[in-house]
């Protein structure tokens, strides 16, 4: 529920760091390696480097997610975290708080919850559920229209 997207991305970075290790330890390589790209995405979106925040970087990160799914393919389940991360990446690179929350609530979190449950990551499923609730609370707290006025 950060009013500043840079703070949100910094918090996400530390969460992604923990979940990268979590998924790799569970043997869920697609989830773990795709989270490494999420680490990079958070750093890029929080940075002041113009190219890191550009649509070109968005395309690069999404392309790299496709490489992850190809190289770690373990069946259709591998599509879940990668599709979730692509949706979240596109949402983040709009630099629009409403679109970031739509991507999170309707694409990222639901796909991750399914993946988490299928691989036995109860912590991941609970975390994504908490993320969805947090997004709903932020909408309620700040108002849907006011989200566009949040600092980027």
């Amino acid at each position: 529920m950060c009013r500043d997207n840079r703070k949100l991305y910094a918090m996400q970075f530390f969460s992604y760091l923990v979940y990268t290790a979590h998924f790799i330890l569970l043997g869920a390589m697609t989830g773990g390696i795709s989270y490494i790209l999420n680490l990079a995405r958070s750093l890029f979106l929080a940075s002041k480097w113009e190219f890191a925040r550009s649509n070109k970087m968005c395309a690069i990160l999404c392309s790299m997610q496709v490489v992850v799914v190809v190289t770690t393919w373990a069946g259709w389940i591998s599509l879940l975290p990668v599709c979730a991360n692509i949706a979240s990446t596109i949402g983040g690179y709009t630099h629009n708080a409403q679109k970031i929350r739509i991507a999170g609530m309707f694409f990222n979190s639901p796909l991750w919850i399914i993946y988490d449950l299928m691989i036995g990551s109860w912590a991941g499923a609970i975390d994504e559920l908490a993320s969805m609730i947090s997004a709903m609370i932020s909408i309620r707290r700040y108002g849907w229209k006011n989200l566009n006025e949040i600092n980027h």
Side-chain angles (χ1 to χ4, degrees):
M1 284 185 260
C2 300
R3 287 190 65 87
D4 181 331
N5 284 346
R6 287 182 198 259
K7 288 180 185 173
L8 171 69
Y9 297 133
M11 289 176 51
Q12 282 179 343
F13 174 84
F14 292 107
S15 171
Y16 294 158
L17 188 61
V18 171
Y19 275 105
T20 297
H22 173 74
F23 286 117
I24 290 173
L25 289 171
L26 282 175
M29 297 311 289
T30 304
I33 294 172
S34 68
Y35 256 110
I36 292 170
L37 294 174
N38 288 354
L39 285 164
R41 180 185 70 211
S42 290
L43 285 174
F44 293 156
L45 287 171
S47 79
K48 294 184 183 202
W49 181 31
E50 192 66 31
F51 182 75
R53 298 175 47 81
S54 73
N55 288 337
K56 288 180 183 178
M57 183 57 75
C58 178
I60 290 168
L61 288 170
C62 289
S63 298
M64 291 174 74
Q65 288 286 355
V66 172
V67 171
V68 168
V69 79
V70 169
T71 58
T72 63
W73 185 256
W76 70 271
I77 190 173
S78 297
L79 294 172
L80 296 171
V82 168
C83 289
N85 291 341
I86 289 172
S88 187
T89 299
I90 293 168
Y93 274 88
T94 66
H95 307 288
N96 177 291
Q98 288 177 338
K99 291 176 183 172
I100 291 168
R101 283 168 182 78
I102 287 171
M105 289 187 337
F106 297 108
F107 299 100
N108 186 64
S109 288
L111 291 172
W112 270 107
I113 288 171
I114 295 166
Y115 182 76
D116 290 333
L117 293 175
M118 291 182 73
I119 64 162
S121 174
W122 298 103
I126 291 167
D127 179 59
E128 289 300 336
L129 185 59
S131 292
M132 290 176 74
I133 292 168
S134 176
M136 288 185 252
I137 291 170
S138 71
I139 291 167
R140 173 84 171 120
R141 183 175 173 192
Y142 302 126
W144 182 248
K145 291 182 181 180
N146 292 334
L147 287 176
N148 283 335
E149 297 172 13
I150 293 174
N151 298 327
H152 305 288

